[in-house]
Structure formats: C-alpha cells, structure tokens
C-alpha cells in the first residue's frame, strides 16, 4: 500500500480533532450554506484546513479539492499538467454534519486520492463507531485492517438498502427521492437513512448494507468510498447505469442486485438547475 502509512494517521488525527471539537457543537452554533438545511460548523472548516496543511506537507505536488475550501476540481477529464498525471485529494472533512451536530455517531472524515479523475486511494474514519475503512487501487478494501467484501446474495426482496435526501435539501421540485424511497421500500426488507453517504457506501462494501442510492451527491461525498466499494467487489454507476456519477445520481450494490435495482430508475432525469 503506497499511501496508507502516511494517509491513515493523518485522517485518524483530524477525526480525533473533530471528536474533541464536537463537545462545543450544538445545533444553534452551526452555520448554514446553500440552504438553511445545509449545515456547516467550525469543525468542518478546521478539519479541512488541517487536512490541507498536512497533505500539502506530505505530498507538495498534489492538488486539493475540499467541500469547504474548494480547490482544483478533480474532473474526469483530469487536467494533465505538463504531461504529468494530476493527483488530487478529494476531501469531505465531516460527512454527516447533521449527525455530528446532533451528537449522533454516524459521521466520518473522508479523504480520497484521485489521479486524472480516477480513485487510487481512499480513507474513511468514523471515530465514534471506531471504524476506519481503507482501500488502494488493486489492493482490496479493509475495515480496521480486516478485508471486506460486498454481500454475495443478489435479491432485492431480501435486501437492506440505504439512501439520502440531498435533493430535498437542494429544493428539487420536479423529481425527488421520495418516489424511489417509497417504491423500493415496498420491495426490499428495509431502507436505512444513516446520514453519511461515505459511510452508507462503506457499509455496502462491508456487507452490512446490500445497496445504496442517492440523487444529488457531490464528488467529495464519494471521493474515498467509491474505491472502498469497488475494491470490495461492488458496482458503482449513475442512475442510468453509466459512469457520470454522482452528477447523474449514484447506485452502488453487488453486481446482481445492482442490475435489479437499476431497472427501478428507468426514465430518471436530473432536473435542470
Ligand atoms: C451529506 C451526507 C448525507 C447525504 C447528503 C450529503 P454532509 O454530507 O453525506 O448522507 O444525504 O447528500 O450532503 O453535507 O454532511 O457533508
Ligand atoms: Ca458530505
Ligand atoms: Ca461535509
């Protein structure tokens, strides 16, 4: 593993900072961003700034793209500078900020490393759950050092799924996820709403969820979990079965279940902004 011995301690350290800062966090102390449902705290910003500093010191030539401070977009085109590959850290300092603000356990620090728009390493640390997910391209996926795999069965009727509702937070009117939530809830064993997309996807990778979908995630939400899922044997596509995720939605599951789930998103169209 080329990055783990440097990356994992950095992510663990900043997750500890977030846990310490959480003691002073209340819903009232949180700020808002695009809408009053989209919360941000001083911990989100502090964690991202510390990650930016630590990663720049260890990998000075790598770009950084974070939810709170922006930066070089790790686009699929993947700008090649002077013929070199573009390595970009894709960072969500706290995924599950609403859970974090409410002092619920389901939140994490998510750091992915992409090269020309494709993931090469990913680290997700959920300190309250005491779980760290890690993957590097071609090296497998791990939770606390134990190899993980997606659940082998492929039947929707036997499945436990999860999703999120960022489309509602963004105020989408023409289409929202409630339609798919209601339809799939009738057909599967249960649908969970844990509040952290990175952990939702990591739970699919470790077989504790069978599948996950969402309509309106951002690259930093999946920056690390994309690779953890793929290295655990899962399939990740957009809601048309193609590769324009997360912009055109995202659907992750083991291969057979992914194919069955995809049939329920026929005709999906992302609303024009
Ligand atoms: C959110 C979480 C949530 C998902 C939202 C994301 P944030 O991330 O991942 O589960 O439904 O779409 O924005 O805002 O807490 O970093
Ligand atoms: Ca997020
Ligand atoms: Ca976040």
């Amino acid at each position: 593993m080329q990055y783990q011995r440097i990356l994992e301690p950095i992510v663990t350290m900043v997750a500890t900072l977030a846990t310490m800062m959480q003691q002073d966090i209340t819903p009232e102390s949180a700020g808002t961003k695009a809408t009053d449902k989209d919360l941000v705290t001083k911990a989100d910003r502090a964690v991202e700034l510390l990650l930016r500093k630590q990663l720049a010191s260890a990998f000075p030539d790598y770009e950084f793209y974070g939810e709170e401070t922006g930066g070089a977009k790790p686009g699929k085109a993947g700008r090649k500078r002077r013929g070199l590959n573009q390595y970009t850290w894709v960072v969500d300092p706290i995924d599950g900020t609403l859970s974090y603000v409410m002092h619920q356990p389901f939140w994490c620090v998510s750091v992915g490393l992409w090269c020309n728009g494709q993931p090469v390493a990913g680290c997700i640390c959920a300190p309250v759950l005491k779980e760290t997910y890690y993957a590097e391209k071609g090296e497998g996926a791990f939770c606390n050092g134990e190899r993980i795999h997606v659940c082998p069965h492929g039947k929707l009727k036997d499945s436990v799924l999860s999703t999120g509702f960022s489309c509602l937070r963004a105020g989408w009117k023409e289409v929202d996820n409630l339609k798919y939530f209601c339809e799939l809830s009738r057909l599967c064993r249960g649908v969970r709403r844990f509040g952290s997309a990175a952990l939702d996807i990591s739970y699919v990778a470790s077989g504790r969820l069978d599948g996950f979908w969402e309509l309106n995630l951002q690259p930093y939400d999946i920056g690390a979990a994309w690779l953890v899922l793929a290295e655990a044997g899962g399939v990740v596509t957009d809601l048309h079965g193609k590769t324009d995720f997360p912009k055109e939605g995202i659907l992750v599951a083991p291969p057979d279940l992914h194919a069955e789930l995809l049939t329920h998103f026929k005709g999906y169209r992302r609303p024009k902004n």
Side-chain angles (χ1 to χ4, degrees):
M1 298 274 204
Q2 185 182 350
Y3 295 96
Q4 186 170 22
R5 66 179 182 77
I6 297 178
L7 180 56
E8 201 165 310
I10 290 175
V11 176
T12 306
M13 182 262 291
V14 301
T16 304
L17 169 67
T19 307
M20 287 162 56
M21 293 184 75
Q22 190 177 28
Q23 291 156 33
D24 302 330
I25 299 283
T26 63
E28 297 67 38
S29 67
T32 58
K33 295 193 293 189
T35 70
D36 63 3
K37 292 181 179 167
D38 191 2
L39 299 187
V40 62
T41 71
K42 59 185 179 185
D44 292 85
R45 294 190 186 99
V47 165
E48 183 160 322
L49 289 172
L50 186 53
L51 279 168
R52 203 179 254 277
K53 184 163 167 264
Q54 294 281 325
L55 292 171
S57 155
F59 302 93
D61 293 339
Y62 288 17
E63 306 268 10
F64 186 102
Y65 173 59
E67 177 177 3
E68 308 307 342
T69 59
K73 287 264 168 99
K76 280 204 184 315
R79 269 184 309 111
K80 287 200 175 193
R81 294 173 308 168
R82 300 185 301 279
L84 298 175
N85 287 324
Q86 178 200 325
Y87 284 88
T88 306
W89 298 106
V90 184
V91 171
D92 191 335
I94 297 178
D95 184 54
T97 295
L98 187 54
S99 301
Y100 179 79
V101 164
M102 299 302 289
H103 293 246
Q104 297 166 359
F106 221 83
W107 59 272
C108 63
V109 175
S110 171
V111 178
L113 177 61
W114 293 10
C115 176
N116 300 333
Q118 297 300 313
V120 295
C123 185
I124 293 160
C125 181
V128 180
L129 300 175
K130 295 184 172 43
E131 293 172 0
T132 298
Y133 296 87
Y134 192 85
E136 284 190 26
K137 184 84 178 145
E139 306 268 0
F142 299 84
C143 177
N144 295 347
E146 297 290 318
R147 191 81 185 251
I148 56 176
H149 298 280
V150 295
C151 183
H153 88 77
K155 296 245 179 305
L156 177 54
K157 69 176 181 58
D158 303 330
S159 295
V160 180
L161 309 175
S162 80
T163 188
F165 293 95
S166 54
C167 53
L168 298 181
R169 194 169 73 180
W172 287 12
K173 298 274 181 289
E174 309 84 77
V175 64
D176 70 51
N177 195 20
L178 292 170
K179 165 186 152 190
Y180 300 110
F181 180 84
C182 294
E183 179 182 334
L184 290 169
S185 293
R186 290 191 185 91
L187 299 171
C188 71
R189 205 164 256 170
V191 182
R192 296 287 179 267
R193 178 27 177 147
F194 287 126
S196 164
L199 280 176
D200 288 320
I201 297 171
S202 300
Y203 267 45
V204 176
S206 54
R208 288 183 287 173
L209 282 171
D210 297 299
F212 167 79
W213 84 95
E214 192 158 346
L215 272 51
N216 185 36
L217 291 177
Q218 302 300 323
Y220 42 73
D221 293 311
I222 63 153
W226 169 7
L227 187 65
V228 171
L229 189 277
E231 288 292 324
V235 173
V236 52
T237 68
D238 61 28
L239 298 178
H240 313 292
K242 301 202 178 347
T243 59
D244 195 7
F245 55 85
K247 182 172 173 290
E248 286 297 327
I250 189 168
L251 176 64
V252 307
D256 294 350
L257 178 59
H258 183 279
E260 186 177 1
L261 280 169
L262 193 58
T263 63
H264 292 274
F265 293 95
K266 273 205 182 72
Y268 170 73
R269 288 284 171 277
R270 178 188 174 84
K272 300 267 177 288
N273 285 344

Short mmCIF file of all heavy atoms in Angstrom, two decimals, residues 33 38 44 65-68 74 90-97 108-112 114 123-124 164-167 169 193 195-202 212 214-228 245-247 250 252:
data_model
loop_
_atom_site.label_atom_id
_atom_site.label_comp_id
_atom_site.label_asym_id
_atom_site.label_seq_id
_atom_site.Cartn_x
_atom_site.Cartn_y
_atom_site.Cartn_z
N LYS A 33 -25.23 26.89 4.77
CA LYS A 33 -24.60 27.22 3.48
C LYS A 33 -25.67 27.51 2.44
O LYS A 33 -26.45 28.44 2.61
CB LYS A 33 -23.66 26.07 3.06
CG LYS A 33 -22.49 25.91 4.03
CD LYS A 33 -21.39 25.02 3.50
CE LYS A 33 -21.78 23.59 3.36
NZ LYS A 33 -20.60 22.72 3.04
N ASP A 38 -28.58 23.02 5.05
CA ASP A 38 -27.22 22.59 4.72
C ASP A 38 -26.26 23.17 5.76
O ASP A 38 -25.79 24.29 5.64
CB ASP A 38 -26.86 23.11 3.31
CG ASP A 38 -25.58 22.48 2.78
OD1 ASP A 38 -25.00 21.63 3.50
OD2 ASP A 38 -25.15 22.87 1.68
N ASP A 44 -15.97 21.51 10.69
CA ASP A 44 -15.82 21.18 9.26
C ASP A 44 -14.65 21.97 8.67
O ASP A 44 -13.78 21.43 7.98
CB ASP A 44 -17.09 21.55 8.48
CG ASP A 44 -18.31 20.71 8.84
OD1 ASP A 44 -19.00 21.06 9.82
OD2 ASP A 44 -18.57 19.71 8.14
N TYR A 65 -9.00 19.29 -3.34
CA TYR A 65 -10.37 19.75 -3.61
C TYR A 65 -11.23 19.35 -2.42
O TYR A 65 -11.41 18.16 -2.15
CB TYR A 65 -10.90 19.11 -4.89
CG TYR A 65 -12.36 19.40 -5.17
CD1 TYR A 65 -12.83 20.71 -5.32
CD2 TYR A 65 -13.29 18.36 -5.26
CE1 TYR A 65 -14.16 20.97 -5.58
CE2 TYR A 65 -14.63 18.62 -5.50
CZ TYR A 65 -15.07 19.92 -5.67
OH TYR A 65 -16.40 20.19 -5.92
N GLY A 66 -11.72 20.36 -1.67
CA GLY A 66 -12.47 20.06 -0.46
C GLY A 66 -13.83 20.73 -0.46
O GLY A 66 -14.03 21.77 -1.11
N GLU A 67 -14.75 20.14 0.29
CA GLU A 67 -16.12 20.67 0.34
C GLU A 67 -16.15 22.11 0.82
O GLU A 67 -16.90 22.94 0.31
CB GLU A 67 -16.98 19.81 1.26
CG GLU A 67 -18.40 20.35 1.40
CD GLU A 67 -19.31 19.50 2.27
OE1 GLU A 67 -18.85 18.49 2.83
OE2 GLU A 67 -20.50 19.84 2.35
N GLU A 68 -15.30 22.43 1.83
CA GLU A 68 -15.43 23.76 2.47
C GLU A 68 -14.52 24.82 1.88
O GLU A 68 -14.82 26.01 1.95
CB GLU A 68 -15.16 23.65 3.97
CG GLU A 68 -15.96 22.57 4.69
CD GLU A 68 -17.47 22.65 4.47
OE1 GLU A 68 -17.96 23.72 4.05
OE2 GLU A 68 -18.14 21.65 4.70
N PRO A 74 -11.41 17.76 -9.44
CA PRO A 74 -10.74 16.55 -9.94
C PRO A 74 -11.52 15.95 -11.10
O PRO A 74 -11.91 14.81 -11.08
CB PRO A 74 -10.80 15.62 -8.73
CG PRO A 74 -12.08 16.00 -8.05
CD PRO A 74 -12.28 17.47 -8.30
N VAL A 90 -9.48 14.47 -2.68
CA VAL A 90 -10.91 14.82 -2.76
C VAL A 90 -11.50 14.61 -1.37
O VAL A 90 -11.61 13.47 -0.90
CB VAL A 90 -11.61 13.93 -3.79
CG1 VAL A 90 -13.08 14.35 -3.96
CG2 VAL A 90 -10.90 14.03 -5.15
N VAL A 91 -11.83 15.74 -0.71
CA VAL A 91 -11.98 15.71 0.76
C VAL A 91 -13.36 16.19 1.24
O VAL A 91 -13.84 17.25 0.83
CB VAL A 91 -10.89 16.61 1.39
CG1 VAL A 91 -11.12 16.81 2.89
CG2 VAL A 91 -9.50 16.01 1.14
N ASP A 92 -13.97 15.36 2.09
CA ASP A 92 -15.14 15.80 2.84
C ASP A 92 -14.72 15.77 4.31
O ASP A 92 -14.61 14.68 4.89
CB ASP A 92 -16.32 14.85 2.58
CG ASP A 92 -17.62 15.43 3.13
OD1 ASP A 92 -17.56 16.25 4.07
OD2 ASP A 92 -18.69 15.05 2.63
N PRO A 93 -14.48 16.92 4.91
CA PRO A 93 -13.90 16.92 6.26
C PRO A 93 -14.79 16.28 7.31
O PRO A 93 -14.30 15.60 8.22
CB PRO A 93 -13.66 18.41 6.54
CG PRO A 93 -14.62 19.13 5.65
CD PRO A 93 -14.75 18.28 4.42
N ILE A 94 -16.09 16.52 7.19
CA ILE A 94 -17.05 15.80 8.04
C ILE A 94 -18.24 15.44 7.14
O ILE A 94 -18.98 16.32 6.71
CB ILE A 94 -17.52 16.63 9.25
CG1 ILE A 94 -16.35 16.94 10.19
CG2 ILE A 94 -18.63 15.88 10.02
CD1 ILE A 94 -16.69 17.78 11.39
N ASP A 95 -18.35 14.14 6.84
CA ASP A 95 -19.51 13.69 6.06
C ASP A 95 -20.55 13.20 7.07
O ASP A 95 -20.28 12.30 7.85
CB ASP A 95 -19.11 12.57 5.11
CG ASP A 95 -20.28 12.16 4.24
OD1 ASP A 95 -20.87 13.05 3.59
OD2 ASP A 95 -20.63 10.97 4.22
N GLY A 96 -21.71 13.87 7.04
CA GLY A 96 -22.73 13.61 8.06
C GLY A 96 -22.73 14.71 9.09
O GLY A 96 -22.85 14.47 10.29
N THR A 97 -22.59 15.95 8.61
CA THR A 97 -22.51 17.08 9.55
C THR A 97 -23.76 17.19 10.43
O THR A 97 -23.66 17.50 11.62
CB THR A 97 -22.30 18.40 8.77
OG1 THR A 97 -21.03 18.36 8.13
CG2 THR A 97 -22.35 19.61 9.68
N CYS A 108 -18.22 10.88 9.58
CA CYS A 108 -16.86 10.42 9.32
C CYS A 108 -16.05 11.52 8.64
O CYS A 108 -16.60 12.50 8.14
CB CYS A 108 -16.89 9.18 8.42
SG CYS A 108 -17.59 9.49 6.77
N VAL A 109 -14.73 11.31 8.62
CA VAL A 109 -13.82 12.12 7.81
C VAL A 109 -13.51 11.28 6.57
O VAL A 109 -13.18 10.10 6.69
CB VAL A 109 -12.52 12.44 8.58
CG1 VAL A 109 -11.52 13.18 7.68
CG2 VAL A 109 -12.83 13.25 9.83
N SER A 110 -13.65 11.87 5.39
CA SER A 110 -13.47 11.12 4.15
C SER A 110 -12.41 11.80 3.28
O SER A 110 -12.53 12.97 2.92
CB SER A 110 -14.79 11.05 3.38
OG SER A 110 -14.59 10.51 2.08
N VAL A 111 -11.33 11.05 2.97
CA VAL A 111 -10.25 11.58 2.12
C VAL A 111 -9.97 10.58 1.00
O VAL A 111 -9.55 9.45 1.26
CB VAL A 111 -8.96 11.84 2.91
CG1 VAL A 111 -7.85 12.34 1.99
CG2 VAL A 111 -9.21 12.84 4.05
N GLY A 112 -10.21 11.01 -0.23
CA GLY A 112 -9.89 10.17 -1.38
C GLY A 112 -8.73 10.78 -2.15
O GLY A 112 -8.50 11.98 -2.07
N TRP A 114 -7.44 10.95 -6.08
CA TRP A 114 -7.79 10.63 -7.47
C TRP A 114 -6.62 11.01 -8.36
O TRP A 114 -5.92 12.00 -8.10
CB TRP A 114 -9.02 11.43 -7.92
CG TRP A 114 -10.31 11.07 -7.24
CD1 TRP A 114 -10.47 10.25 -6.15
CD2 TRP A 114 -11.62 11.52 -7.61
NE1 TRP A 114 -11.81 10.19 -5.80
CE2 TRP A 114 -12.53 10.95 -6.68
CE3 TRP A 114 -12.12 12.35 -8.62
CZ2 TRP A 114 -13.91 11.18 -6.75
CZ3 TRP A 114 -13.51 12.59 -8.68
CH2 TRP A 114 -14.37 12.00 -7.76
N CYS A 123 -9.59 6.79 2.30
CA CYS A 123 -9.58 6.53 3.76
C CYS A 123 -10.78 7.22 4.38
O CYS A 123 -11.03 8.41 4.13
CB CYS A 123 -8.29 7.06 4.38
SG CYS A 123 -8.14 6.64 6.13
N ILE A 124 -11.58 6.46 5.14
CA ILE A 124 -12.79 6.98 5.78
C ILE A 124 -12.71 6.61 7.26
O ILE A 124 -12.61 5.42 7.58
CB ILE A 124 -14.04 6.37 5.14
CG1 ILE A 124 -14.19 6.84 3.70
CG2 ILE A 124 -15.31 6.71 5.96
CD1 ILE A 124 -15.07 5.97 2.84
N GLY A 164 -30.24 8.78 0.80
CA GLY A 164 -30.23 10.11 1.42
C GLY A 164 -31.11 11.05 0.63
O GLY A 164 -31.56 10.70 -0.47
N PHE A 165 -31.33 12.23 1.19
CA PHE A 165 -32.30 13.14 0.58
C PHE A 165 -31.71 14.54 0.33
O PHE A 165 -32.35 15.55 0.60
CB PHE A 165 -33.55 13.24 1.47
CG PHE A 165 -34.31 11.94 1.51
CD1 PHE A 165 -34.09 11.02 2.52
CD2 PHE A 165 -35.20 11.62 0.49
CE1 PHE A 165 -34.77 9.80 2.55
CE2 PHE A 165 -35.89 10.39 0.50
CZ PHE A 165 -35.66 9.49 1.53
N SER A 166 -30.51 14.57 -0.22
CA SER A 166 -29.89 15.88 -0.50
C SER A 166 -30.70 16.61 -1.58
O SER A 166 -30.66 17.82 -1.68
CB SER A 166 -28.46 15.68 -0.99
OG SER A 166 -28.47 14.78 -2.08
N CYS A 167 -31.47 15.86 -2.37
CA CYS A 167 -32.30 16.54 -3.39
C CYS A 167 -33.35 17.42 -2.71
O CYS A 167 -33.64 18.53 -3.16
CB CYS A 167 -32.99 15.49 -4.27
SG CYS A 167 -33.90 14.26 -3.33
N ARG A 169 -32.98 18.76 0.26
CA ARG A 169 -32.22 19.87 0.87
C ARG A 169 -31.92 20.92 -0.20
O ARG A 169 -31.88 22.11 0.08
CB ARG A 169 -30.92 19.31 1.44
CG ARG A 169 -30.20 20.24 2.38
CD ARG A 169 -29.09 19.54 3.10
NE ARG A 169 -27.94 19.28 2.22
CZ ARG A 169 -26.84 18.66 2.66
NH1 ARG A 169 -26.77 18.20 3.90
NH2 ARG A 169 -25.83 18.48 1.86
N ARG A 193 -31.60 5.23 6.72
CA ARG A 193 -31.22 6.60 6.35
C ARG A 193 -30.22 7.06 7.42
O ARG A 193 -30.60 7.69 8.39
CB ARG A 193 -32.46 7.47 6.32
CG ARG A 193 -32.36 8.98 6.01
CD ARG A 193 -31.28 9.41 5.23
NE ARG A 193 -31.31 10.86 4.94
CZ ARG A 193 -30.20 11.53 4.83
NH1 ARG A 193 -29.04 10.95 5.06
NH2 ARG A 193 -30.24 12.81 4.50
N GLY A 195 -27.39 9.00 7.19
CA GLY A 195 -26.97 10.42 7.21
C GLY A 195 -25.54 10.69 6.82
O GLY A 195 -25.08 11.83 6.91
N SER A 196 -24.81 9.66 6.35
CA SER A 196 -23.46 9.89 5.83
C SER A 196 -23.27 9.00 4.61
O SER A 196 -23.13 7.77 4.75
CB SER A 196 -22.39 9.54 6.88
OG SER A 196 -21.11 9.41 6.25
N ALA A 197 -23.24 9.61 3.45
CA ALA A 197 -23.15 8.83 2.21
C ALA A 197 -21.86 8.00 2.18
O ALA A 197 -21.86 6.85 1.75
CB ALA A 197 -23.22 9.76 1.00
N ALA A 198 -20.77 8.60 2.67
CA ALA A 198 -19.49 7.88 2.65
C ALA A 198 -19.58 6.61 3.49
O ALA A 198 -19.07 5.54 3.11
CB ALA A 198 -18.37 8.78 3.17
N LEU A 199 -20.27 6.72 4.64
CA LEU A 199 -20.41 5.51 5.49
C LEU A 199 -21.46 4.57 4.92
O LEU A 199 -21.29 3.34 4.99
CB LEU A 199 -20.77 5.91 6.92
CG LEU A 199 -19.59 6.37 7.77
CD1 LEU A 199 -20.06 6.83 9.13
CD2 LEU A 199 -18.54 5.28 7.91
N ASP A 200 -22.53 5.11 4.32
CA ASP A 200 -23.51 4.24 3.66
C ASP A 200 -22.79 3.32 2.65
O ASP A 200 -22.99 2.11 2.62
CB ASP A 200 -24.55 5.08 2.90
CG ASP A 200 -25.53 5.80 3.81
OD1 ASP A 200 -25.97 5.21 4.81
OD2 ASP A 200 -25.86 6.96 3.51
N ILE A 201 -21.96 3.94 1.81
CA ILE A 201 -21.28 3.18 0.76
C ILE A 201 -20.27 2.21 1.37
O ILE A 201 -20.12 1.06 0.93
CB ILE A 201 -20.60 4.15 -0.24
CG1 ILE A 201 -21.66 5.00 -0.94
CG2 ILE A 201 -19.76 3.37 -1.26
CD1 ILE A 201 -21.11 6.13 -1.79
N SER A 202 -19.61 2.64 2.46
CA SER A 202 -18.67 1.74 3.15
C SER A 202 -19.39 0.55 3.77
O SER A 202 -18.86 -0.56 3.83
CB SER A 202 -17.90 2.51 4.23
OG SER A 202 -17.17 3.57 3.64
N PHE A 212 -27.05 1.00 -2.00
CA PHE A 212 -27.23 2.42 -1.67
C PHE A 212 -27.48 3.18 -2.95
O PHE A 212 -26.90 2.86 -4.00
CB PHE A 212 -25.96 2.95 -0.98
CG PHE A 212 -25.91 4.46 -0.86
CD1 PHE A 212 -26.63 5.12 0.13
CD2 PHE A 212 -25.14 5.21 -1.75
CE1 PHE A 212 -26.59 6.52 0.24
CE2 PHE A 212 -25.11 6.60 -1.65
CZ PHE A 212 -25.82 7.25 -0.66
N GLU A 214 -28.47 7.49 -4.25
CA GLU A 214 -28.83 8.87 -3.93
C GLU A 214 -28.83 9.69 -5.22
O GLU A 214 -28.23 9.28 -6.22
CB GLU A 214 -27.89 9.47 -2.86
CG GLU A 214 -28.46 10.78 -2.35
CD GLU A 214 -27.98 11.22 -0.98
OE1 GLU A 214 -27.39 10.42 -0.22
OE2 GLU A 214 -28.19 12.40 -0.68
N LEU A 215 -29.54 10.85 -5.18
CA LEU A 215 -29.76 11.60 -6.42
C LEU A 215 -28.81 12.77 -6.59
O LEU A 215 -28.54 13.20 -7.72
CB LEU A 215 -31.20 12.16 -6.43
CG LEU A 215 -32.30 11.25 -7.02
CD1 LEU A 215 -32.29 9.88 -6.43
CD2 LEU A 215 -33.67 11.89 -6.88
N ASN A 216 -28.30 13.33 -5.47
CA ASN A 216 -27.65 14.63 -5.64
C ASN A 216 -26.40 14.77 -4.79
O ASN A 216 -26.21 15.75 -4.10
CB ASN A 216 -28.67 15.75 -5.27
CG ASN A 216 -28.11 17.13 -5.53
OD1 ASN A 216 -27.38 17.33 -6.50
ND2 ASN A 216 -28.40 18.07 -4.65
N LEU A 217 -25.52 13.76 -4.83
CA LEU A 217 -24.26 13.84 -4.10
C LEU A 217 -23.24 14.66 -4.88
O LEU A 217 -23.43 14.98 -6.08
CB LEU A 217 -23.71 12.43 -3.84
CG LEU A 217 -24.51 11.57 -2.86
CD1 LEU A 217 -23.90 10.18 -2.77
CD2 LEU A 217 -24.60 12.22 -1.49
N GLN A 218 -22.14 14.97 -4.18
CA GLN A 218 -21.02 15.71 -4.79
C GLN A 218 -19.79 14.81 -4.82
O GLN A 218 -19.73 13.82 -4.06
CB GLN A 218 -20.71 16.96 -3.95
CG GLN A 218 -21.88 17.90 -3.81
CD GLN A 218 -22.38 18.42 -5.16
OE1 GLN A 218 -21.57 18.68 -6.05
NE2 GLN A 218 -23.68 18.55 -5.31
N PRO A 219 -18.79 15.13 -5.67
CA PRO A 219 -17.60 14.27 -5.73
C PRO A 219 -16.96 14.03 -4.36
O PRO A 219 -16.52 12.90 -4.06
CB PRO A 219 -16.66 15.05 -6.67
CG PRO A 219 -17.58 15.84 -7.54
CD PRO A 219 -18.75 16.22 -6.68
N TYR A 220 -16.95 15.04 -3.48
CA TYR A 220 -16.28 14.84 -2.18
C TYR A 220 -17.05 13.87 -1.28
O TYR A 220 -16.47 13.25 -0.40
CB TYR A 220 -16.02 16.16 -1.47
CG TYR A 220 -17.14 17.17 -1.52
CD1 TYR A 220 -18.31 16.98 -0.78
CD2 TYR A 220 -17.06 18.30 -2.33
CE1 TYR A 220 -19.34 17.89 -0.85
CE2 TYR A 220 -18.10 19.22 -2.40
CZ TYR A 220 -19.23 19.00 -1.66
OH TYR A 220 -20.28 19.92 -1.73
N ASP A 221 -18.37 13.71 -1.52
CA ASP A 221 -19.12 12.74 -0.71
C ASP A 221 -18.64 11.31 -0.97
O ASP A 221 -18.65 10.45 -0.09
CB ASP A 221 -20.62 12.81 -1.06
CG ASP A 221 -21.28 14.10 -0.65
OD1 ASP A 221 -21.11 14.50 0.52
OD2 ASP A 221 -21.97 14.71 -1.49
N ILE A 222 -18.22 11.06 -2.22
CA ILE A 222 -17.87 9.69 -2.62
C ILE A 222 -16.38 9.55 -2.90
O ILE A 222 -15.95 8.48 -3.35
CB ILE A 222 -18.66 9.29 -3.89
CG1 ILE A 222 -18.29 10.19 -5.09
CG2 ILE A 222 -20.17 9.35 -3.63
CD1 ILE A 222 -18.48 9.55 -6.43
N GLY A 223 -15.62 10.60 -2.62
CA GLY A 223 -14.20 10.66 -3.02
C GLY A 223 -13.39 9.46 -2.59
O GLY A 223 -12.53 8.97 -3.31
N ALA A 224 -13.69 8.96 -1.39
CA ALA A 224 -12.95 7.80 -0.87
C ALA A 224 -13.78 6.52 -0.98
O ALA A 224 -13.27 5.43 -1.32
CB ALA A 224 -12.57 8.04 0.59
N ALA A 225 -15.09 6.66 -0.73
CA ALA A 225 -15.94 5.46 -0.65
C ALA A 225 -16.08 4.75 -2.00
O ALA A 225 -16.28 3.53 -2.06
CB ALA A 225 -17.32 5.84 -0.11
N TRP A 226 -15.96 5.51 -3.10
CA TRP A 226 -16.05 4.92 -4.44
C TRP A 226 -15.06 3.76 -4.54
O TRP A 226 -15.41 2.64 -4.92
CB TRP A 226 -15.76 6.02 -5.46
CG TRP A 226 -15.54 5.64 -6.89
CD1 TRP A 226 -15.69 4.40 -7.46
CD2 TRP A 226 -15.13 6.51 -7.95
NE1 TRP A 226 -15.40 4.45 -8.79
CE2 TRP A 226 -15.05 5.73 -9.12
CE3 TRP A 226 -14.84 7.88 -8.03
CZ2 TRP A 226 -14.67 6.28 -10.35
CZ3 TRP A 226 -14.47 8.41 -9.26
CH2 TRP A 226 -14.39 7.63 -10.39
N LEU A 227 -13.80 4.01 -4.13
CA LEU A 227 -12.78 2.98 -4.28
C LEU A 227 -12.96 1.86 -3.25
O LEU A 227 -12.79 0.67 -3.58
CB LEU A 227 -11.38 3.59 -4.14
CG LEU A 227 -10.23 2.64 -4.44
CD1 LEU A 227 -10.23 2.20 -5.91
CD2 LEU A 227 -8.88 3.28 -4.10
N VAL A 228 -13.36 2.22 -2.02
CA VAL A 228 -13.59 1.19 -1.00
C VAL A 228 -14.63 0.19 -1.52
O VAL A 228 -14.47 -1.03 -1.44
CB VAL A 228 -14.06 1.83 0.33
CG1 VAL A 228 -14.53 0.77 1.33
CG2 VAL A 228 -12.93 2.66 0.94
N PHE A 245 -21.47 9.57 -12.45
CA PHE A 245 -21.85 9.72 -11.03
C PHE A 245 -20.84 10.65 -10.37
O PHE A 245 -19.69 10.75 -10.87
CB PHE A 245 -21.87 8.36 -10.32
CG PHE A 245 -20.57 7.58 -10.42
CD1 PHE A 245 -19.54 7.82 -9.53
CD2 PHE A 245 -20.38 6.64 -11.44
CE1 PHE A 245 -18.35 7.09 -9.63
CE2 PHE A 245 -19.19 5.92 -11.53
CZ PHE A 245 -18.18 6.16 -10.63
N PRO A 246 -21.22 11.39 -9.36
CA PRO A 246 -22.53 11.42 -8.74
C PRO A 246 -23.50 12.40 -9.38
O PRO A 246 -24.64 12.51 -8.94
CB PRO A 246 -22.20 11.84 -7.30
CG PRO A 246 -21.04 12.76 -7.46
CD PRO A 246 -20.22 12.21 -8.61
N LYS A 247 -23.06 13.11 -10.44
CA LYS A 247 -23.91 14.16 -11.04
C LYS A 247 -25.24 13.61 -11.50
O LYS A 247 -26.29 14.19 -11.26
CB LYS A 247 -23.16 14.83 -12.19
CG LYS A 247 -23.94 15.97 -12.86
CD LYS A 247 -23.06 16.73 -13.88
CE LYS A 247 -23.88 17.74 -14.67
NZ LYS A 247 -24.81 17.05 -15.61
N ILE A 250 -26.24 8.23 -8.08
CA ILE A 250 -25.30 7.14 -7.83
C ILE A 250 -26.05 5.93 -7.30
O ILE A 250 -27.03 6.07 -6.55
CB ILE A 250 -24.18 7.57 -6.84
CG1 ILE A 250 -23.08 6.50 -6.77
CG2 ILE A 250 -24.75 7.90 -5.47
CD1 ILE A 250 -21.82 6.96 -6.06
N VAL A 252 -24.99 1.98 -5.87
CA VAL A 252 -23.91 1.04 -5.55
C VAL A 252 -24.52 -0.23 -4.95
O VAL A 252 -25.44 -0.16 -4.12
CB VAL A 252 -22.86 1.64 -4.58
CG1 VAL A 252 -22.34 2.96 -5.08
CG2 VAL A 252 -23.37 1.76 -3.17
#
